[in-house]
Amino acid sequence: MLDDFMTRATLAGIGVAFAAAPLGCFVVWRRMAYFGDATAHAAILGVALSLALEMSIFPGTLAVALIMALTVTLMAGRGYAMDTLLGVLAHSALAFGLVAVSFLPGIRIDLMAYLFGDILAVSSMDLAVIWGGAALVVALMLWRWSALLTSTLNEDLAYASGINPKHEQMTLTLSLAITVAVAIKVVGVLLIAAMLIIPAAAARGLARTPEAMAAVAAAIGGLSAFVGLRAAYIFDTPAGPSIVCVAAILFAAVNALGWLSQK
């Protein structure tokens, strides 16, 4: 079954959707869209590091994404507005990563594949990494779900409940770094934030509880991957952007239905 490239691509897209769904809900609730974007942009620097050290892309992107996320967390509230800080770090990391790749001797890579994803080239080993990372992220979210919700709702309430919001922020940071590392092969650096935010934003109008929102977001993300890949195959369009386009259409449809139901 895994000899079929479309089957591997579909499974990879669904795996990324499952990892991004619960995390995307917290990104939406905490208004951390720029945070996810900055972490994703830093992944290109991780690609350059991995190629320079002649190792798999995953550990390099995971390490750099984690360093970026931790840097943003530690520098928050140090005199700069969060959106300014994230803008500086995100674009700087992307620029340094692109420049670093150009200095690698004797290595020719398709930067478009890392910027917009190359899901059709996913191998069985990539699939194992993606689903392993997705399982780890889901496990982390399930383990810390109650504490994460409490600290997201109110930090004072979290402290009163014996929960340290900074520790929960680190859990989100680690989960985000893992998601970026496994998603870069599927949708690329520039579209990772879209897969985090759009399904979760669409699910917000369909769910009444946080748990239901995470489940609906996973379903929307998985459906976007499935339909987007089929559309890319039929119309010969880029696979990663096609997945995000389907997610955007679903988001628009959910909001349109919500608007019509209120009239």
Side-chain angles (χ1 to χ4, degrees):
M1 183 176 98
L2 294 181
D3 290 337
D4 182 6
F5 74 97
M6 284 298 291
T7 300
R8 291 196 302 271
T10 302
L11 290 174
I14 293 173
V16 169
F18 284 171
L23 186 58
C25 292
F26 285 102
V27 168
V28 169
W29 292 330
R30 290 175 174 240
R31 300 178 182 178
M32 293 170 56
Y34 275 129
F35 188 82
D37 211 25
T39 306
H41 279 57
I44 282 291
L45 195 56
V47 171
L49 176 64
S50 297
L51 293 174
L53 297 177
E54 298 182 352
M55 63 181 186
S56 171
I57 297 297
F58 178 76
T61 53
L62 176 61
V64 174
L66 186 57
I67 290 170
M68 168 62 82
L70 289 172
T71 300
V72 172
T73 300
L74 294 174
M75 290 183 66
R78 298 292 179 87
Y80 292 99
M82 180 60 80
D83 59 345
T84 301
L85 179 62
L86 289 172
V88 170
L89 292 175
H91 295 97
S92 298
L94 179 60
F96 277 111
L98 293 173
V99 170
V101 168
S102 70
F103 278 111
L104 295 175
I107 297 178
R108 297 176 60 87
I109 65 170
D110 181 10
L111 280 176
M112 293 294 287
Y114 291 108
L115 293 176
F116 296 102
D118 192 12
I119 190 172
L120 298 180
V122 168
S123 66
S124 297
M125 182 59 69
D126 293 329
L127 203 55
V129 170
I130 289 168
W131 276 91
L136 182 56
V137 169
V138 171
L140 279 172
M141 292 292 100
L142 289 174
W143 176 42
R144 303 303 302 169
W145 185 262
S146 180
L148 284 167
L149 279 178
T150 304
S151 60
T152 298
L153 179 65
N154 189 298
E155 287 194 0
D156 292 333
L157 178 61
Y159 280 118
S161 302
I163 299 168
N164 188 335
K166 292 183 179 180
H167 291 169
E168 304 314 317
Q169 178 67 36
M170 288 300 178
T171 300
L172 286 177
T173 296
L174 176 60
S175 300
L176 183 61
I178 295 171
T179 302
V180 167
V182 300
I184 189 171
K185 188 76 177 271
V186 177
V187 291
V189 168
L190 300 182
L191 302 178
I192 289 173
M195 285 303 292
L196 281 169
I197 298 166
I198 297 177
R204 193 170 193 172
L206 298 174
R208 294 188 177 183
T209 66
E211 293 79 9
M213 181 173 163
V216 173
I220 291 174
L223 181 62
S224 299
F226 181 82
V227 176
L229 282 168
R230 293 306 181 270
Y233 183 79
I234 294 170
F235 299 109
D236 193 25
T237 54
S242 296
I243 293 172
V244 176
C245 285
V246 172
I249 291 170
L250 292 174
F251 171 77
V254 167
N255 280 274
L257 288 173
W259 178 76
L260 289 174
S261 66
Q262 293 175 358
K263 294 196 67 177

